[in-house]
Amino acid sequence: MASNFAARANQAVMQSSPKWRLVVWLLLMLSASLWTLQLWQNGARVQSDILAMLPHLQQDKLTERALNQVEATLADQVYIALVAKDETTAIAAAKLLMQKLAADLVARGKQGALTDIRSADMQLGEVLGQFYFPHRFKLLTAPQAEALASQNIESLLEAATAQLYNAFSYANSNLLAQDPLLLFPANLLTLAPSSKVRASQGILLANQGDNVAAVVMTKGRESAFNPNAQLAQMMALTVALDAVEKDYPDITVLKAGALFHAIAATQTAKSEISILGLASLLGVIALVWLAFRSVMPLLLAIVTISSGLLLAVTFTLSVFGELHLLTLVFGTSLIGIAIDYSFHFYCERLSDTERSAKATVAYIFPTVTLAFITSALAYVGIGLAPFPGMQQVAIFCAAGLLGAYLTLILAYPLLAGSRLPAGSRPLALAGTYLACLIQLSKRFTTPLGMGMFALVILVWCLGGVTKLTVDDDIRHLQQSPASVTEPENQLRQLLSGGTDNQFLLVRAPNEEALLQQLERVSPMLNAAIANQELGNYVSLSRYLPSHQKQDTAYRLLGEIYQTQLEQVLTSLGLDENLKPELQAAYLAAKTDYITPATFFTLEAGKQLAPLWLAPNEANSPVSNGALNDDGASAEHGADHGADQGADYGAIVLLGGIQQIDTLKARFAHDESVQLIDKVADISAVMGHYRLLTLKLLALALGIALLLFSLNFGFKKAAVVVAVPALAALLTLATLGLTGSPLSLFHALALILVFGIGIDYSLFFASAQNHGKAVMMAVFMSACSTLLAFGLLAFSQTQAIHYFGLTLSLGIGFTFLLSPLILTTTLALTTNQLLTTKKS
């Protein structure tokens, strides 16, 4: 069936006019160019957001909303610490930085790259005091509640007396008239999270050894992963920091935020695209020139690569609407694969110089078509991974191969019509290498030789595969340089450990139950801090006491304001005429509660609002900011829609996590509290798909065996499939022996080893009397592929390094093993002839 299809397709190729085929190819390339231009004009873009490469996690709606809230809140924040020898210099430098950033914002208006420039909010305490004071009868600190519960009024009187005679206390006549025991100031102080930082003159300060660091925060107006926004934000920062360093040359600047990681990733990707792509292209050009010594093969090689890249970009933008930078890095390998068709065409022409270009295309058409299908299927296998970025790689490379294939079929019959210079030397070298390899392989056809060969392979594979370890950590997808991570780590330590990507999601069926859950979780987190499992946390329980807790405080205070108020006033020397007003105020407060709805109307409340997840948009607080770990606001820049579930949810931000497993264990048996660790969850998904990809590879080998059996027969098909299978196994063994851990990227690369290796096997299986031409073509193809993927192995991004290393090993083994198909085919043919004669 397969051979009949190939024969009919071959006949169609032979009968069609080269001129018409060229016209069709030109129209196709022109259409692709115009469509790509239209896509760019309609908003298609290059994407550098590393998060776009990550797999999609299957989460419930509340968890998904929480992840979106945290990512949107933290993603675009920029932190700058100015470290000076004294506090005065640090404050002055920070004020100058804020002034310069604010001037840029005013000058550019809505076009300003950075917004929400801030440090410490000196009015925050006053605003919170005004909000909470009317609710003072519903607030008690833990020591105050304990004292009232045990009826230890004397301790409260002593504390109030101490405040009266303390020059630095909040006590004044107005406060005493409304809060005679001076309980409220202590409650107000509990709202401020414990931290290493302090505020002075509106600037957030922290000690770094003998130095003082002033911290300034701002937020990018657009995503830090937008290349244009990156440039604008960095330009604004650079101008402002240059002005600071000019006036204060001894200042040390520490920077942190996704912006700096994104810039590092963008610069690395662009550098690797230019260096690796250029090196691969130059290597291919050198190969073509050395082999054919003619301008036309060189020009057609460039045309083949260009058409492949054009269709790759067109298809990728059409499907995804954007092109990821890492897709382009992976896509540089397309150069080494797309050129294979050109190599096979010209090597066949060298072997028979009298054959026309049209006849040569017709001759290699069946094998090239089958090779294209298997390679494309290999890329489809990569596209089954749950990574949008890897799906882009699959579309990009499969479409690129299609462009190269169509160029060969449609353009070569006419464009490659000129004769080649004498190519006997390259063919002679290929023939000599092939003859030596065949002669060597004959030694393995004896029982002893086959046994020794099998034993070596078995020991190698067993020794290597048993040493393989796995590593599915998603952080290997992108690793920022030390110049980015070291200042960020220093700044995180200044800010009490910073805010980590992990957080707690607390859920409950209603608002009151959620507030009570948060109050139950806080002591557990305090214990974790005491055990050095955690550095800090930000929870709404500090600002929003439950109705139950407020009722308890109100009841306990009733002992004072209903039965012992005279004693309190007398003990403190206050006017007894205050009693009626105080009792009336106490009674009036009975039904007045602190609620999320009222708290989130405050500016400070709006900053905390993203931590609150109501079950529908109508009940969800309108928010435009979040609070970082040290009380500094962090603007929230996106509305992620409503959760249609029944649960309320609250996010508890965690910082300075030291023992994540121990922290998880604290909440392991509590279904209402979930520690969200997206990195770990994605890594688990990677492990799952790593296993699935390896199973897919085994399935692909089985399908290929069945498909090739229809064309070659079972025995020859088994040999064809055995070459890439053995190459993949040897690659895994070598990775194990060299200590390289196995990841999803290794598994995806093995899919391509299979797809490319099958091409080599197919050409040798179909070689007939053109073994030298096939050997030369496979040699050039392997060299170009090794150039492409071998260079990827030098990538600074570990995932790309793994991908390139595995492919380099796999293609190398395939190149060494595939010529043995000729020997095996010859042996099978000889045995078949002997069997026929005997019969």
Side-chain angles (χ1 to χ4, degrees):
M1 183 184 297
S3 58
N4 290 337
F5 170 78
R8 288 196 296 270
N10 193 10
Q11 186 178 5
V13 170
M14 287 292 292
Q15 290 177 350
S16 58
S17 167
K19 291 183 179 180
W20 279 110
R21 270 184 274 168
L22 181 62
V23 170
V24 171
W25 178 80
L26 289 173
L27 289 175
L28 178 65
M29 293 299 116
L30 179 61
S31 300
S33 301
L34 294 176
W35 178 245
T36 303
L37 182 61
Q38 180 70 18
L39 290 172
W40 280 117
Q41 292 178 342
N42 289 340
R45 62 195 178 101
V46 174
Q47 171 67 270
S48 65
D49 185 353
I50 201 67
L51 299 177
M53 292 284 288
L54 302 182
H56 299 299
L57 295 175
Q58 296 298 322
Q59 305 279 11
D60 63 85
K61 291 183 178 180
L62 188 63
T63 304
E64 186 176 353
R65 276 187 65 200
L67 284 167
N68 289 338
Q69 291 280 60
V70 171
E71 288 176 5
T73 300
L74 301 178
D76 301 327
Q77 299 302 311
V78 176
Y79 301 86
I80 305 293
L82 303 174
V83 184
K85 294 181 179 180
D86 59 86
E87 183 173 309
T88 303
T89 304
I91 292 174
K95 287 184 176 180
L96 178 59
L97 176 62
M98 295 176 70
Q99 178 186 341
K100 293 296 182 181
L101 291 175
D104 178 79
L105 182 60
V106 171
R108 298 177 183 271
K110 293 183 178 180
Q111 302 301 318
L114 297 169
T115 183
D116 191 22
I117 303 154
R118 64 202 184 279
S119 188
D121 188 350
M122 300 301 290
Q123 298 180 339
L124 180 62
E126 182 180 348
V127 172
L128 291 176
Q130 292 174 356
F131 173 75
Y132 284 106
F133 189 74
H135 304 284
R136 61 192 177 280
F137 301 109
K138 299 289 183 71
L139 297 173
L140 285 175
T141 64
Q144 290 170 353
E146 183 180 350
L148 288 172
S150 61
Q151 297 185 347
N152 185 11
I153 308 300
E154 289 75 15
S155 64
L156 296 180
L157 289 170
E158 290 176 3
T161 303
Q163 287 192 60
L164 284 174
Y165 293 102
N166 187 342
F168 299 100
S169 74
Y170 294 94
N172 57 56
S173 58
N174 185 45
L175 180 60
L176 281 168
Q178 300 179 77
D179 181 22
L181 282 173
L182 298 176
L183 300 178
F184 180 71
N187 284 276
L188 189 61
L189 288 175
T190 61
L191 298 177
S194 59
S195 174
K196 298 177 183 177
V197 299
R198 63 187 188 279
S200 177
Q201 301 181 41
I203 302 298
L204 205 62
L205 300 173
N207 292 329
Q208 189 188 48
D210 295 331
N211 298 325
V212 177
V215 181
V216 174
M217 291 153 285
T218 184
K219 179 181 183 295
R221 189 180 295 278
E222 298 182 58
S223 171
F225 297 101
N226 180 322
N228 293 330
Q230 286 176 18
L231 292 175
Q233 291 173 27
M234 275 307 297
M235 184 177 296
L237 280 173
T238 301
V239 170
L241 287 172
D242 285 347
V244 171
E245 292 175 351
K246 180 180 178 181
D247 288 356
Y248 304 95
D250 294 331
I251 286 285
T252 300
V253 179
L254 302 178
K255 296 179 284 189
L259 171 65
F260 309 107
H261 292 275
I263 289 174
T266 302
Q267 291 175 344
T268 299
K270 288 181 176 179
S271 174
E272 290 181 355
I273 289 169
S274 57
I275 294 174
L276 300 184
L278 180 61
S280 179
L281 184 61
L282 292 177
V284 167
I285 291 173
L287 273 175
V288 174
W289 178 257
L290 290 174
F292 308 118
R293 300 301 176 104
S294 174
V295 175
M296 185 53 69
L298 194 57
L299 292 177
L300 276 182
I302 295 174
V303 169
T304 303
I305 293 171
S306 300
S307 60
L309 291 175
L310 173 61
L311 283 194
V313 172
T314 302
F315 273 74
T316 305
L317 291 180
S318 299
V319 174
F320 297 98
E322 62 184 20
L323 190 61
H324 202 286
L325 277 174
L326 287 185
T327 301
L328 292 175
V329 175
F330 278 107
T332 59
S333 61
L334 178 64
I335 296 172
I337 304 174
I339 199 64
D340 289 359
Y341 303 139
S342 182
F343 290 158
H344 285 288
F345 171 83
Y346 275 108
C347 288
E348 286 297 336
R349 289 211 68 189
L350 276 180
S351 66
D352 187 352
T353 55
E354 298 301 320
R355 182 188 291 159
S356 67
K358 180 180 177 182
T360 304
V361 169
Y363 176 76
I364 66 173
F365 176 79
T367 306
V368 168
T369 301
L370 196 56
F372 164 69
I373 291 172
T374 53
S375 296
L377 288 175
Y379 282 115
V380 169
I382 286 182
L384 295 177
F387 289 79
M390 298 313 297
Q391 291 165 358
Q392 276 198 27
V393 170
I395 295 292
F396 187 91
C397 292
L401 281 183
L402 177 62
Y405 172 77
L406 292 177
T407 302
L408 173 70
I409 303 303
L410 300 176
Y412 273 52
L414 188 62
L415 296 182
S418 58
R419 291 184 176 274
L420 289 174
S424 57
R425 179 170 176 76
L427 282 176
L429 290 174
T432 302
Y433 172 79
L434 187 60
C436 294
L437 200 61
I438 292 174
Q439 188 65 31
L440 179 64
S441 65
K442 287 181 179 179
R443 299 182 182 181
F444 298 124
T445 58
T446 64
L448 179 60
M450 291 181 64
M452 292 295 294
F453 180 75
L455 181 62
V456 171
I457 295 297
L458 182 63
V459 171
W460 188 349
C461 291
L462 284 177
V465 172
T466 54
K467 289 185 177 181
L468 267 179
T469 58
V470 297
D471 184 1
D472 299 308
D473 195 335
I474 189 61
R475 284 169 289 196
H476 292 160
L477 187 63
Q478 179 65 49
Q479 293 178 314
S480 297
S483 59
V484 174
T485 57
E486 288 180 3
E488 181 172 271
N489 290 334
Q490 293 182 47
L491 186 47
R492 285 172 62 85
Q493 290 304 313
L494 290 176
L495 299 177
S496 306
T499 300
D500 292 319
N501 293 323
Q502 298 89 349
F503 61 91
L504 289 181
L505 174 60
V506 183
R507 63 180 76 213
N510 56 65
E511 186 176 281
E512 173 62 14
L514 179 58
L515 293 174
Q516 291 182 26
Q517 288 279 44
L518 287 171
E519 289 168 353
R520 184 177 58 82
V521 167
S522 291
M524 301 173 70
L525 293 174
N526 291 332
I529 292 175
N531 290 338
Q532 297 184 341
E533 302 165 17
L534 182 67
N536 59 82
Y537 68 93
V538 178
S539 173
L540 287 170
S541 65
R542 190 187 302 274
Y543 305 92
L544 292 172
S546 64
H547 283 202
Q548 181 186 61
K549 186 175 182 179
Q550 293 181 64
D551 285 338
T552 300
Y554 186 81
R555 178 178 54 80
L556 290 173
L557 283 170
E559 295 293 321
I560 299 292
Y561 287 96
Q562 290 182 325
T563 62
Q564 302 184 45
L565 188 54
E566 288 184 11
Q567 176 188 347
V568 170
L569 294 175
T570 302
S571 299
L572 295 173
L574 299 177
D575 189 348
E576 293 184 1
N577 293 328
L578 293 174
K579 179 180 177 180
E581 293 181 12
L582 286 169
Q583 288 182 331
Y586 172 80
L587 293 173
K590 183 176 183 179
T591 58
D592 191 11
Y593 290 94
I594 301 168
T595 64
T598 55
F599 175 73
F600 291 133
T601 59
L602 297 175
E603 189 61 34
K606 291 177 182 178
Q607 295 167 8
L608 286 162
L611 303 184
W612 182 263
L613 303 171
N616 58 67
E617 195 168 8
N619 292 334
S620 181
V622 178
S623 61
N624 61 4
L627 203 74
N628 68 24
D629 51 296
D630 294 289
S633 63
E635 194 170 309
H636 171 53
D639 181 11
H640 295 281
D643 179 21
Q644 300 302 317
D647 283 353
Y648 278 76
I651 297 166
V652 180
L653 297 178
L654 306 176
I657 297 175
Q658 301 296 326
Q659 302 177 40
I660 185 70
D661 293 334
T662 307
L663 197 60
K664 283 183 179 180
R666 288 184 178 273
F667 306 100
H669 304 292
D670 192 341
E671 295 182 357
S672 64
V673 183
Q674 181 182 1
L675 198 154
I676 305 295
D677 187 354
K678 188 175 181 179
V679 171
D681 293 340
I682 294 175
S683 297
V685 170
M686 287 183 65
H688 169 73
Y689 278 93
R690 170 178 47 78
L691 292 173
L692 185 62
T693 302
L694 293 175
K695 292 176 181 177
L696 177 66
L697 177 59
L699 177 63
L701 289 169
I703 294 174
L705 179 61
L706 179 63
L707 180 64
F708 298 155
S709 296
L710 301 175
N711 197 34
F712 299 120
F714 179 78
K715 290 183 178 180
K716 192 173 182 179
V719 175
V720 171
V721 174
V723 168
L726 185 56
L729 194 59
L730 288 171
T731 300
L732 287 174
T734 305
L735 291 173
L737 291 172
T738 57
S740 180
L742 185 63
S743 70
L744 175 59
F745 300 101
H746 293 92
L748 293 173
L750 287 176
I751 291 284
L752 281 189
V753 169
F754 162 74
I756 299 170
I758 282 290
D759 288 1
Y760 298 170
S761 300
L762 283 173
F763 279 108
F764 275 112
S766 307
Q768 298 178 5
N769 297 323
H770 297 275
K772 291 191 294 183
V774 171
M775 186 68 250
M776 180 180 172
V778 168
F779 171 76
M780 296 184 67
S781 174
C783 286
S784 63
T785 305
L786 287 173
L787 268 174
F789 293 118
L791 291 172
L792 288 183
F794 292 99
S795 172
Q796 296 179 34
T797 303
Q798 200 162 4
I800 300 178
H801 164 74
Y802 286 159
F803 195 84
L805 177 63
T806 307
L807 269 163
S808 298
L809 291 171
I811 296 305
F813 286 126
T814 305
F815 171 74
L816 293 175
L817 294 172
S818 56
L820 300 181
I821 291 177
L822 285 177
T823 306
T824 308
T825 302
L826 181 61
L828 290 174
T829 304
T830 302
N831 291 336
Q832 186 176 4
L833 290 174
L834 290 175
T835 303
T836 303
K837 287 182 179 180
K838 288 180 181 180
S839 62

